[in-house]
Amino acid sequence: MWLDHRAVSQVHRINETKHSVLQYVGGVMSVEMQAPKLLWLKENLRETCWDKAGHFFDLPDFLSWKATGVTARSLCSLVCKWTYSAEKGWDDSFWKMVGLEDLVADNYSKIGNQVLPPGTSLGNGLTPEAAKDLGLPAGIAVAASLIDAHAGGLGVIGADVRGHGLACEGQPVTSRLAIICGTSSCHMGISKNPIFVPGVWGPYFSAMVPGFWLNEGGQSVTGKLIDHMVQGHAAFPELQAKATARCQSIYAYLNSHLDLIKKAQPVGFLTVDLHVWPDFHGNRSPLADLTLKGMVTGLKLSQDLDDLAILYLATVQAIAFGTRLIIEAMESAGHSISTLFLCGGLGKNPLFVQMHADITGMPVVLSQEVESVLVGAAILGACASGDFASVQEAMARMSKVGKVVFPRHEDKRYYDKKYQVFLKLVEHQKEYASIMKGD
């Protein structure tokens, strides 16, 4: 549902209010957040949905309710997606201003009036009914939840990095950026004091690591974009057949094919005249512009496997350049980042990881446990059960470094030039739009 962008007119109206709560979502609310979706439901499904609904839940809160029967919401979901403030609570004036005044009724009972920090034990644990569904004993502790990406961030960002030669070893945890990349990517940076980054969500207090402010950058389509580019190419059936014959995934095959065609040069140099702007589903951060489209420049008449492999490479690089743009926005606002901690499905792709290192110029830490979102969830469970006294203690004990990938600094000049082209692409796209809008 987060990927559903139908509430465009609703989010425009919300942003036109310039309400003070918008400061905490990068200045502009995203169509992927809950207020525009709720307004869409009220305006389009009034009788069948809006008037009949007893509660509106974010998925993590829905799951904890199903498990325990407790309607308490997680601080994480309400702060990150619903405009709740960890310090001040709900702002009545916002909901009234955007036309959702009915949610204020009955002390916000439909969207949450008991708000708990992630990792807090809920009710009496697993209900007998939920226990039966899951094949577990009733009464097992259930924790107040985190959004999936935030659980991934929690699962990697606290790892002990000693002995890996990383700059962040002697630095505070605020020098680390967790990147959770699957269908989309989320860039999680934390700070001791609130940092307002234009176009980047947050600052959110205690929304991921207790006691720290969270900024959340993101790209709406990453893994989904790579699939789209590869599967839509004329050579895709050939790729599928060859990968299947070798018992490889299509991406492992593409990576080995790129090594085959690069000859003596570094693999990244194959895209010297092929450039991609990756916003095929709008830009979440740091431009916060859902009207932006994807761009490819440097296409030829041939459509063979080599062309597909190079287009795939250019797409992966474009996603990494998007990460670089987000990091630059965060740093210019006051963050100081030295190391990337990467997890999620795309963390299993060595080309994706190496390109993030080379293009940002930063080492990338991969966790020992590939499914870091599950580690984050386990950390919460271990707090709810009383096995650890705090989330921080559980993070330090349960997060482990698997592998560190360092950037190839000798390729820096090439990627700096490609980045200049990357920034020109969006500049030109905006120029084209203004030409077409002009008289």
Side-chain angles (χ1 to χ4, degrees), residues 4 48 127 176 226 248 311-312 320 358 373 394-395:
D4 186 318
T48 51
T127 62
R176 306 175 178 195
I226 296 168
Q248 277 184 314
L311 180 64
Y312 154 70
D358 293 351
V373 174
M395 274 166 61

Side-chain angles (χ1 to χ4, degrees), residues 392-403:
Q392 280 93 332
E393 187 195 344
M395 274 166 61
R397 295 277 295 279
M398 293 171 74
S399 310
K400 299 273 189 294
V401 173
K403 186 181 178 195

Side-chain angles (χ1 to χ4, degrees), residues 190-425:
I190 58 175
S191 57
K192 264 290 178 203
N193 298 305
I195 298 175
F196 293 85
V197 188
V200 171
W201 297 347
Y204 301 136
F205 186 63
S206 282
M208 186 172 82
V209 181
F212 286 87
W213 292 84
L214 170 71
N215 282 106
E216 183 186 344
Q219 295 161 293
S220 291
V221 287
T222 49
K224 193 175 177 70
L225 176 64
I226 296 168
D227 290 344
H228 172 78
M229 297 296 257
V230 170
Q231 292 170 12
H233 196 279
F236 180 62
E238 183 192 349
L239 167 66
Q240 267 188 311
K242 288 188 165 166
T244 305
R246 264 205 220 160
C247 299
Q248 277 184 314
S249 77
I250 56 173
Y251 295 116
Y253 188 92
L254 281 171
N255 293 349
S256 59
H257 191 77
L258 284 166
D259 281 333
L260 201 68
I261 62 178
K262 73 181 171 76
K263 307 206 166 57
Q265 62 182 348
V267 71
F269 288 34
L270 286 166
T271 57
V272 66
D273 53 7
L274 184 68
H275 309 282
V276 173
W277 178 264
D279 290 333
F280 283 54
H281 200 50
N283 182 283
R284 188 189 296 171
S285 311
L287 306 177
D289 183 348
L290 59 84
T291 68
L292 288 176
K293 309 288 190 291
M295 301 168 78
V296 184
T297 172
L299 295 169
K300 298 183 300 194
L301 210 52
S302 59
Q303 286 190 305
D304 60 17
L305 201 50
D306 290 4
D307 295 304
L308 168 50
I310 294 167
L311 180 64
Y312 154 70
L313 171 63
T315 305
V316 169
Q317 289 173 336
I319 292 164
F321 284 122
T323 291
R324 178 165 163 175
L325 187 60
I326 289 166
I327 292 169
E328 285 183 3
M330 291 176 77
E331 293 203 308
S332 64
H335 281 273
S336 178
I337 295 159
S338 66
T339 313
L340 308 182
F341 284 68
L342 205 136
C343 66
L346 292 173
K348 300 171 193 173
N349 183 333
L351 181 78
F352 185 90
V353 176
Q354 188 66 56
M355 285 300 135
H356 270 72
D358 293 351
I359 284 167
T360 62
M362 294 181 191
V364 177
V365 176
L366 299 171
S367 62
Q368 196 173 51
E369 173 51 65
V370 181
E371 304 297 348
S372 298
V373 174
L374 300 185
V375 176
I379 287 169
L380 298 180
C383 290
S385 64
D387 284 86
F388 292 105
S390 70
V391 168
Q392 280 93 332
E393 187 195 344
M395 274 166 61
R397 295 277 295 279
M398 293 171 74
S399 310
K400 299 273 189 294
V401 173
K403 186 181 178 195
V404 179
V405 176
F406 289 94
R408 292 169 46 103
H409 289 299
E410 61 271 27
D411 300 344
K412 180 181 185 304
R413 198 161 160 269
Y414 171 77
Y415 289 116
D416 285 348
K417 289 195 281 191
K418 284 243 348 156
Y419 186 55
Q420 281 181 294
V421 176
F422 180 78
L423 297 176
K424 280 273 184 232
L425 285 171

Side-chain angles (χ1 to χ4, degrees), residues 53-135:
H55 294 279
F56 293 102
F57 285 110
D58 220 309
L59 177 62
D61 295 324
F62 172 79
L63 292 172
S64 61
W65 169 66
K66 286 292 278 184
T68 63
V70 175
T71 60
R73 309 302 206 273
S74 161
L75 183 70
C76 172
S77 39
L78 290 200
V79 166
C80 294
K81 303 284 184 265
W82 298 69
T83 75
Y84 187 84
S85 161
E87 298 152 304
K88 301 178 202 151
W90 294 113
D91 187 321
D92 296 0
S93 67
F94 169 73
W95 298 100
K96 289 171 182 170
M97 195 181 277
V98 301
L100 289 169
E101 61 291 332
D102 23 0
L103 293 177
V104 180
D106 206 10
N107 189 23
Y108 291 94
S109 65
K110 285 194 176 184
I111 58 172
N113 52 23
Q114 189 192 0
V115 186
L116 299 173
T120 309
S121 183
L122 289 170
N124 299 315
L126 212 54
T127 62
E129 188 187 7
K132 188 162 162 283
D133 288 343
L134 295 169

